[in-house]
Each structure stands twice: as C-alpha cells, then as structure tokens.
Amino acid sequence: MSKHCPNATNWLPPSDAAFILDPNQPVLSHGRSLAAERSIEPHAHPRGQLLWAHQGTLKVTSDTRVWVVPPSHAVWIPSGISHQVHCETQVQIRNIYIDPSYPIQHSSSGVCMLSMSALMRELILRLTQAQVPLAPERLKRLGWVIIDELNALESAELSLPAGHDPRLIHVIQQCVRYPTTKVSLTQLASDSGASVRTLERLFKSETGLTFRQWRQRFRLLNSLERLQQGESSTEVAYSLGYQSVSRFIEAFRQQFGETPQGYARQQRQLSPHSNGG
C-alpha cells in the first residue's frame, strides 16, 4: 500500500505507543492534532488501536476497505493490520492502544467501525487530556475499564470496499484524499495508467459496485459530519453535486435508513462532545 502514496511530505509517522509491548500497561494513549490534508503514513503495529477523532472526520483505509469516521464513531484496528489515515480538515485525534495480551472480541472481524459510547468518550479524554500523568496503578485500572467498554461497543456498517489492483487503489486513494473534487473517471483513468473500461471492470469485480455507485456512497459517508455540525440538507445536497434536495434525501434514506436531518439529530443526541453537539 505504501508505494501508492502521493505527496509524501504530508505524511506523518504513527505514535511510538503503538509499538510498546507490556502486559502491565494494558492501555496506552496518544492524542494529536492534524492540520487539513495531513495523513499518517501506511503502517501496522503490534498493539490494537481504537482510532477516534474528538473533532473532525477521519478517512481510514486498509487493504480491503475504506471508512469515513465522524466523531460519533471510532475504528478498531487489530494488531498487525496495515492501514493509513487521512484528514480533509483539521482534526483532533485521540487514540488508545491495547496490548495484544488482552483479547478484544471485535478483532475477529478485522478492522471495524464502532459506535462510541458516552463512557468511552470520557475515558479516552481522561487519558489523553490529563494535566498530570496518571499513576501506573490507576492507569492500569482505567485500562481494564476501557477494555471492558470497548468489548461492549456496537459495530456500525459505515465503510466501502477498497480492492487490490494497484490502479484501482490509486483511484480510490485519490477519491479519499479529495472527496469534493468533481473529477471524471476519464481523468482518473489517465492518472492511474488504466483505461476507463479497465477501471469500470475493476470497480465492479473488486468492490461489487460501479464507479458511480462507489463514489455516491463515499460522498454520502462524507456528508455525515457536515449534517452533524448543523448544515442543512440543501447545503449538503448541492455541495455533493445532487441536482435536487429530494434526490439527496432519497439516496441518504436508502443508504442509512433515515432522513439526513433525522440521522443528524440522532447522532447529536448520542455525541454531546463532538463538533456541533
């Protein structure tokens, strides 16, 4: 995956905490702010990771899928799985890393999206925003509570298939990095070194979706944070290229089983500490 990284100067290394193996430290934490258009370089690490943006939306890509992660959700990344992280706007990342000696039930599903709970949010913020370092024994006790709560979080199907062909990976990464750019498949094909027909075939065979279907779902995923921040369905619809608000609302309802504003109200109630909540 790393050989397809554009503009490498914008890539940052992962946290050192992800590589520390110590059962006496069940949970380690790390927080950082990322400026717009910054990315964490493709990597894997021995600790499992719960990746959460306290503010802003993250784009996470593994070898098989793409996730758009608003503050109401987090992504669980089991140990040893290669992934990369990108942000379109400024984000505040708050990570926890679980020592592999502590089993996490979500690991059997690979990388997965989880709905954050109020308790988990407060626990992560306590670890990552403590003014004074916590004593080792207290940190260990909080770590056990975090692991217990992590195992109780519910999974959420908010991802897209990614594919394996290098040309398809290149196109998908361009879509992930520049989600609002209205670039045609013809131009993307030219940049990837493949024909339009080849890319159409790759999208269908490796993702199960046509290019148009894939990009529409990706844009709908990108609308979640903007709706949660209070933007109207009209603003979001036209910014995504829909010719009418009703078409956007219907596409959103088909994808998420709820109207855009209904979904936004529900997520704001569940996420009082996120942007716009």
mmCIF file of all heavy atoms in Angstrom, residues 133-156:
data_model
loop_
_atom_site.group_PDB
_atom_site.id
_atom_site.type_symbol
_atom_site.label_atom_id
_atom_site.label_comp_id
_atom_site.label_asym_id
_atom_site.label_seq_id
_atom_site.Cartn_x
_atom_site.Cartn_y
_atom_site.Cartn_z
ATOM 1 N N PRO A 133 0.409 13.296 34.605
ATOM 2 C CA PRO A 133 0.409 11.864 34.277
ATOM 3 C C PRO A 133 -0.233 11.025 35.378
ATOM 4 O O PRO A 133 0.008 11.254 36.567
ATOM 5 C CB PRO A 133 1.905 11.550 34.125
ATOM 6 C CG PRO A 133 2.541 12.865 33.766
ATOM 7 C CD PRO A 133 1.747 13.906 34.510
ATOM 8 N N LEU A 134 -1.060 10.075 34.970
ATOM 9 C CA LEU A 134 -1.723 9.224 35.940
ATOM 10 C C LEU A 134 -0.746 8.224 36.541
ATOM 11 O O LEU A 134 0.185 7.753 35.870
ATOM 12 C CB LEU A 134 -2.879 8.477 35.263
ATOM 13 C CG LEU A 134 -3.990 9.352 34.653
ATOM 14 C CD1 LEU A 134 -5.001 8.480 33.939
ATOM 15 C CD2 LEU A 134 -4.662 10.190 35.728
ATOM 16 N N ALA A 135 -0.955 7.888 37.812
ATOM 17 C CA ALA A 135 -0.122 6.883 38.467
ATOM 18 C C ALA A 135 -0.299 5.538 37.767
ATOM 19 O O ALA A 135 -1.399 5.230 37.273
ATOM 20 C CB ALA A 135 -0.519 6.762 39.941
ATOM 21 N N PRO A 136 0.765 4.720 37.682
ATOM 22 C CA PRO A 136 0.682 3.452 36.944
ATOM 23 C C PRO A 136 -0.482 2.558 37.351
ATOM 24 O O PRO A 136 -1.142 1.980 36.491
ATOM 25 C CB PRO A 136 2.040 2.791 37.246
ATOM 26 C CG PRO A 136 2.958 3.941 37.500
ATOM 27 C CD PRO A 136 2.121 4.973 38.201
ATOM 28 N N GLU A 137 -0.752 2.436 38.644
ATOM 29 C CA GLU A 137 -1.831 1.555 39.075
ATOM 30 C C GLU A 137 -3.197 2.094 38.663
ATOM 31 O O GLU A 137 -4.085 1.338 38.273
ATOM 32 C CB GLU A 137 -1.773 1.341 40.596
ATOM 33 C CG GLU A 137 -0.660 0.418 41.032
ATOM 34 C CD GLU A 137 -0.729 -0.931 40.331
ATOM 35 O OE1 GLU A 137 -1.816 -1.538 40.297
ATOM 36 O OE2 GLU A 137 0.303 -1.378 39.803
ATOM 37 N N ARG A 138 -3.365 3.409 38.752
ATOM 38 C CA ARG A 138 -4.639 3.978 38.318
ATOM 39 C C ARG A 138 -4.807 3.842 36.814
ATOM 40 O O ARG A 138 -5.900 3.559 36.316
ATOM 41 C CB ARG A 138 -4.728 5.447 38.724
ATOM 42 C CG ARG A 138 -6.119 6.008 38.439
ATOM 43 C CD ARG A 138 -6.270 7.434 38.869
ATOM 44 N NE ARG A 138 -7.646 7.876 38.659
ATOM 45 C CZ ARG A 138 -8.018 9.139 38.614
ATOM 46 N NH1 ARG A 138 -7.119 10.092 38.764
ATOM 47 N NH2 ARG A 138 -9.277 9.458 38.428
ATOM 48 N N LEU A 139 -3.727 4.049 36.083
ATOM 49 C CA LEU A 139 -3.772 3.894 34.630
ATOM 50 C C LEU A 139 -4.149 2.468 34.255
ATOM 51 O O LEU A 139 -4.928 2.238 33.323
ATOM 52 C CB LEU A 139 -2.417 4.264 34.030
ATOM 53 C CG LEU A 139 -2.297 4.208 32.508
ATOM 54 C CD1 LEU A 139 -3.294 5.152 31.853
ATOM 55 C CD2 LEU A 139 -0.879 4.558 32.071
ATOM 56 N N LYS A 140 -3.622 1.502 34.995
ATOM 57 C CA LYS A 140 -3.947 0.105 34.717
ATOM 58 C C LYS A 140 -5.434 -0.164 34.987
ATOM 59 O O LYS A 140 -6.107 -0.816 34.182
ATOM 60 C CB LYS A 140 -3.091 -0.824 35.572
ATOM 61 C CG LYS A 140 -3.341 -2.304 35.298
ATOM 62 C CD LYS A 140 -2.525 -3.196 36.216
ATOM 63 C CE LYS A 140 -1.046 -3.104 35.929
ATOM 64 N NZ LYS A 140 -0.268 -4.110 36.710
ATOM 65 N N ARG A 141 -5.959 0.373 36.092
ATOM 66 C CA ARG A 141 -7.378 0.148 36.414
ATOM 67 C C ARG A 141 -8.280 0.788 35.353
ATOM 68 O O ARG A 141 -9.272 0.186 34.920
ATOM 69 C CB ARG A 141 -7.691 0.695 37.807
ATOM 70 C CG ARG A 141 -7.044 -0.093 38.939
ATOM 71 C CD ARG A 141 -7.650 0.293 40.279
ATOM 72 N NE ARG A 141 -7.415 1.705 40.609
ATOM 73 C CZ ARG A 141 -6.353 2.156 41.269
ATOM 74 N NH1 ARG A 141 -5.404 1.301 41.670
ATOM 75 N NH2 ARG A 141 -6.234 3.438 41.552
ATOM 76 N N LEU A 142 -7.952 1.999 34.944
ATOM 77 C CA LEU A 142 -8.737 2.647 33.892
ATOM 78 C C LEU A 142 -8.634 1.860 32.585
ATOM 79 O O LEU A 142 -9.596 1.776 31.821
ATOM 80 C CB LEU A 142 -8.259 4.081 33.684
ATOM 81 C CG LEU A 142 -8.671 5.096 34.751
ATOM 82 C CD1 LEU A 142 -8.027 6.440 34.475
ATOM 83 C CD2 LEU A 142 -10.179 5.248 34.822
ATOM 84 N N GLY A 143 -7.458 1.301 32.344
ATOM 85 C CA GLY A 143 -7.266 0.489 31.153
ATOM 86 C C GLY A 143 -8.188 -0.714 31.132
ATOM 87 O O GLY A 143 -8.773 -1.057 30.088
ATOM 88 N N TRP A 144 -8.361 -1.370 32.262
ATOM 89 C CA TRP A 144 -9.268 -2.515 32.327
ATOM 90 C C TRP A 144 -10.716 -2.089 32.038
ATOM 91 O O TRP A 144 -11.460 -2.806 31.370
ATOM 92 C CB TRP A 144 -9.182 -3.164 33.711
ATOM 93 C CG TRP A 144 -7.875 -3.855 33.964
ATOM 94 C CD1 TRP A 144 -7.017 -4.374 33.021
ATOM 95 C CD2 TRP A 144 -7.277 -4.097 35.235
ATOM 96 N NE1 TRP A 144 -5.915 -4.929 33.635
ATOM 97 C CE2 TRP A 144 -6.046 -4.780 34.991
ATOM 98 C CE3 TRP A 144 -7.630 -3.819 36.553
ATOM 99 C CZ2 TRP A 144 -5.197 -5.173 36.022
ATOM 100 C CZ3 TRP A 144 -6.787 -4.214 37.586
ATOM 101 C CH2 TRP A 144 -5.593 -4.878 37.322
ATOM 102 N N VAL A 145 -11.112 -0.922 32.543
ATOM 103 C CA VAL A 145 -12.463 -0.430 32.270
ATOM 104 C C VAL A 145 -12.624 -0.128 30.777
ATOM 105 O O VAL A 145 -13.652 -0.448 30.174
ATOM 106 C CB VAL A 145 -12.761 0.831 33.110
ATOM 107 C CG1 VAL A 145 -14.143 1.397 32.755
ATOM 108 C CG2 VAL A 145 -12.692 0.518 34.598
ATOM 109 N N ILE A 146 -11.601 0.462 30.180
ATOM 110 C CA ILE A 146 -11.645 0.773 28.748
ATOM 111 C C ILE A 146 -11.788 -0.499 27.928
ATOM 112 O O ILE A 146 -12.585 -0.569 26.983
ATOM 113 C CB ILE A 146 -10.386 1.556 28.340
ATOM 114 C CG1 ILE A 146 -10.503 3.009 28.796
ATOM 115 C CG2 ILE A 146 -10.160 1.492 26.823
ATOM 116 C CD1 ILE A 146 -9.272 3.845 28.551
ATOM 117 N N ILE A 147 -11.031 -1.525 28.275
ATOM 118 C CA ILE A 147 -11.109 -2.787 27.540
ATOM 119 C C ILE A 147 -12.504 -3.400 27.670
ATOM 120 O O ILE A 147 -13.077 -3.899 26.699
ATOM 121 C CB ILE A 147 -10.022 -3.762 28.044
ATOM 122 C CG1 ILE A 147 -8.639 -3.263 27.619
ATOM 123 C CG2 ILE A 147 -10.269 -5.180 27.504
ATOM 124 C CD1 ILE A 147 -7.491 -4.024 28.245
ATOM 125 N N ASP A 148 -13.065 -3.341 28.880
ATOM 126 C CA ASP A 148 -14.416 -3.871 29.089
ATOM 127 C C ASP A 148 -15.433 -3.089 28.258
ATOM 128 O O ASP A 148 -16.309 -3.682 27.610
ATOM 129 C CB ASP A 148 -14.762 -3.784 30.575
ATOM 130 C CG ASP A 148 -16.108 -4.429 30.881
ATOM 131 O OD1 ASP A 148 -16.218 -5.667 30.767
ATOM 132 O OD2 ASP A 148 -17.052 -3.694 31.221
ATOM 133 N N GLU A 149 -15.317 -1.760 28.245
ATOM 134 C CA GLU A 149 -16.253 -0.941 27.477
ATOM 135 C C GLU A 149 -16.053 -1.126 25.981
ATOM 136 O O GLU A 149 -17.025 -1.147 25.214
ATOM 137 C CB GLU A 149 -16.078 0.534 27.854
ATOM 138 C CG GLU A 149 -17.050 1.488 27.168
ATOM 139 C CD GLU A 149 -18.498 1.298 27.588
ATOM 140 O OE1 GLU A 149 -18.761 0.516 28.536
ATOM 141 O OE2 GLU A 149 -19.378 1.929 26.970
ATOM 142 N N LEU A 150 -14.801 -1.274 25.548
ATOM 143 C CA LEU A 150 -14.509 -1.493 24.132
ATOM 144 C C LEU A 150 -15.194 -2.761 23.631
ATOM 145 O O LEU A 150 -15.770 -2.789 22.534
ATOM 146 C CB LEU A 150 -13.002 -1.576 23.913
ATOM 147 C CG LEU A 150 -12.501 -1.956 22.518
ATOM 148 C CD1 LEU A 150 -13.052 -1.006 21.462
ATOM 149 C CD2 LEU A 150 -10.977 -1.954 22.489
ATOM 150 N N ASN A 151 -15.149 -3.811 24.434
ATOM 151 C CA ASN A 151 -15.789 -5.063 24.032
ATOM 152 C C ASN A 151 -17.306 -4.946 23.944
ATOM 153 O O ASN A 151 -17.963 -5.774 23.304
ATOM 154 C CB ASN A 151 -15.415 -6.176 25.013
ATOM 155 C CG ASN A 151 -14.046 -6.766 24.732
ATOM 156 O OD1 ASN A 151 -13.702 -7.024 23.582
ATOM 157 N ND2 ASN A 151 -13.249 -6.951 25.772
ATOM 158 N N ALA A 152 -17.877 -3.907 24.595
ATOM 159 C CA ALA A 152 -19.329 -3.736 24.594
ATOM 160 C C ALA A 152 -19.823 -2.795 23.502
ATOM 161 O O ALA A 152 -21.033 -2.707 23.273
ATOM 162 C CB ALA A 152 -19.782 -3.211 25.958
ATOM 163 N N LEU A 153 -18.922 -2.098 22.803
ATOM 164 C CA LEU A 153 -19.349 -1.156 21.774
ATOM 165 C C LEU A 153 -19.980 -1.892 20.598
ATOM 166 O O LEU A 153 -19.521 -2.974 20.208
ATOM 167 C CB LEU A 153 -18.160 -0.325 21.279
ATOM 168 C CG LEU A 153 -17.502 0.611 22.286
ATOM 169 C CD1 LEU A 153 -16.369 1.392 21.608
ATOM 170 C CD2 LEU A 153 -18.512 1.573 22.904
ATOM 171 N N GLU A 154 -20.995 -1.294 20.022
ATOM 172 C CA GLU A 154 -21.701 -1.908 18.900
ATOM 173 C C GLU A 154 -21.023 -1.535 17.579
ATOM 174 O O GLU A 154 -20.570 -0.406 17.402
ATOM 175 C CB GLU A 154 -23.158 -1.458 18.872
ATOM 176 C CG GLU A 154 -23.963 -1.925 20.079
ATOM 177 C CD GLU A 154 -25.424 -1.537 19.972
ATOM 178 O OE1 GLU A 154 -25.806 -0.899 18.960
ATOM 179 O OE2 GLU A 154 -26.192 -1.876 20.891
ATOM 180 N N SER A 155 -20.978 -2.486 16.650
ATOM 181 C CA SER A 155 -20.381 -2.232 15.345
ATOM 182 C C SER A 155 -21.360 -1.480 14.457
ATOM 183 O O SER A 155 -22.579 -1.531 14.658
ATOM 184 C CB SER A 155 -19.963 -3.535 14.673
ATOM 185 O OG SER A 155 -21.088 -4.382 14.487
ATOM 186 N N ALA A 156 -20.831 -0.767 13.466
ATOM 187 C CA ALA A 156 -21.652 0.010 12.538
ATOM 188 C C ALA A 156 -21.116 -0.190 11.131
ATOM 189 O O ALA A 156 -19.901 -0.142 10.905
ATOM 190 C CB ALA A 156 -21.623 1.494 12.906
#
